[in-house]
Amino acid sequence: MIGTQTITATHLPKVGDREDFSMRAVGPGETDYNFPLSMTGTILAIWQEDPKHAAEYLTRNILGVIGTASAPPEEGFWFDSYNSGDTLKETADKVRNYGIKSFTKGKIRNAFIRLLGEELFDEKEKLDKFFVSKYGYEFFRSFEDAFEDSQAIEDLSTPAKDNAHFLYRICILSGFIDHINVRVAQESTSVLSLQALKNWLKINLDERRANDLTKTFQMIKNLRKQYPIHEHFTITAEGRRVVRDEIREAKKYFNITPDLERSWLNVFTDFKNSLAEIRKTLQ
């Protein structure tokens, strides 16, 4: 590399258990690149490094690999305990030896799309854009704080071949619901996201349609109660342990059977259709 290069890291507001930076690399010549870089709290604890120093050090190594003729991916870079080494230097060596692919946020996003399906992700984006155009804000807030590492996302892309995989996917959809960004003005943030959405829909539509439009979300929350296992059951007055009524109701609603791949498709399809129905009803 000929000429001088200056790298600066601007610390962004805290979101979840990670440190986010806006990186700027200026020079040599007319080169001027800006891109995000994130490191999880877990990997920083392992490295025992100052976050700003780590961000600048990693950026120098990233640019050393891709050069200055090509711009870094605009999605930026992500470092966690699964794609990184045990030290900052080991991680930089991985970047230099194996390239940037394992550390790009685009890779993480693509895994997320594989998990939930392009159709669902597209429907989510349509709903977000609709809310921005009509109400001035997105339907969902950012999902980034829901994922601690890329390995978990990769694991979630496997088929729902058993109950553990099935419940894992239900937890992801439950996370979607937890990130709904719609609530009545001045409403306390202590009101959970699903109830906040219902309250908002009651005002903007009516109670019946609010309940209809959020029923699938509620049933997913009911299924979510299967994990952890102690929430799966309740004790009757006679002392018998039985499956909770709300879980039985949800299984009937989605037609959950021992064929968990088919059952997952039922849940997935209903969830995707619910997002579309909210958008169409409010248009």
Side-chain angles (χ1 to χ4, degrees):
M1 183 182 296
I2 300 174
T4 302
Q5 183 179 68
T6 302
I7 294 174
T8 56
T10 301
H11 211 163
L12 300 177
K14 186 80 170 176
V15 178
D17 183 25
R18 68 173 194 267
E19 301 294 338
D20 297 319
F21 291 89
S22 175
M23 306 304 301
R24 185 179 184 189
V26 179
E30 300 298 317
T31 301
D32 191 343
Y33 295 137
N34 288 274
F35 55 89
L37 185 148
S38 299
M39 298 166 287
T40 64
T42 300
I43 195 58
L44 285 168
I46 292 171
W47 290 345
Q48 291 293 296
E49 297 280 357
D50 173 71
K52 186 172 184 292
H53 164 71
E56 292 173 346
Y57 183 80
L58 291 169
T59 295
R60 290 190 185 281
N61 282 274
I62 288 167
L63 295 177
V65 170
I66 64 177
T68 57
S70 300
E74 62 180 19
E75 298 92 345
F77 299 91
W78 174 276
F79 294 86
D80 59 37
S81 59
Y82 286 91
N83 65 4
S84 303
D86 290 337
T87 67
L88 181 59
K89 184 180 183 304
E90 284 183 24
T91 305
D93 289 343
K94 290 182 71 172
V95 171
R96 288 189 171 276
N97 292 332
Y98 303 109
I100 65 172
K101 185 177 180 181
S102 296
F103 306 98
T104 59
K105 284 189 176 180
K107 176 178 182 291
I108 295 171
R109 182 177 184 273
N110 289 338
F112 189 53
I113 291 173
R114 286 199 306 275
L115 162 66
L116 296 171
E118 290 187 8
E119 290 183 4
L120 177 56
F121 198 86
D122 287 345
E123 192 56 57
K124 177 262 181 194
E125 291 195 339
K126 288 178 185 177
L127 186 56
D128 278 340
K129 289 178 181 178
F130 168 74
F131 260 75
V132 168
S133 66
K134 188 166 183 177
Y135 303 108
Y137 55 88
E138 294 183 335
F139 185 84
F140 291 103
R141 60 184 174 86
S142 171
F143 294 126
E144 288 190 354
D145 65 315
F147 304 111
E148 295 184 1
D149 51 64
S150 56
Q151 184 63 47
I153 298 172
E154 293 288 352
D155 289 344
L156 285 170
S157 67
T158 58
K161 293 183 177 180
D162 55 35
N163 197 52
H165 282 91
F166 177 77
L167 289 180
Y168 207 10
R169 286 173 175 243
I170 294 300
C171 289
I172 287 291
L173 294 188
S174 178
F176 253 73
I177 297 165
D178 291 340
H179 284 71
I180 292 174
N181 191 40
V182 181
R183 64 178 59 241
V184 177
Q186 308 304 318
E187 184 176 55
S188 171
T189 55
S190 64
V191 178
L192 297 180
S193 59
L194 179 53
Q195 185 59 53
L197 174 62
K198 288 181 181 178
N199 295 342
W200 186 90
L201 288 170
K202 287 176 185 178
I203 292 174
N204 286 271
L205 297 171
D206 54 58
E207 185 170 2
R208 179 187 62 79
R209 285 188 290 178
N211 289 332
D212 288 345
L213 289 171
T214 58
K215 186 169 185 179
T216 293
F217 299 162
Q218 185 60 64
M219 292 299 107
I220 287 171
K221 281 296 185 182
N222 288 1
L223 286 179
R224 173 67 174 81
K225 292 181 180 180
Q226 295 176 90
Y227 181 86
I229 192 65
H230 70 267
E231 294 189 3
H232 192 164
F233 301 98
T234 189
I235 305 299
T236 68
E238 296 78 23
R240 292 184 297 108
R241 191 176 75 157
V242 297
V243 175
R244 290 180 180 273
D245 289 342
E246 55 264 46
I247 294 175
R248 289 203 301 269
E249 180 187 11
K251 287 185 173 182
K252 182 178 180 180
Y253 179 85
F254 291 117
N255 191 27
I256 304 298
T257 70
D259 183 352
L260 292 176
E261 290 194 29
R262 168 57 60 180
S263 296
W264 163 248
L265 182 60
N266 293 345
V267 178
F268 170 89
T269 302
D270 284 354
F271 183 77
K272 175 175 67 71
N273 290 344
S274 291
L275 298 185
E277 190 62 29
I278 289 173
R279 176 171 53 84
K280 292 173 183 176
T281 302
L282 291 170
Q283 281 177 338

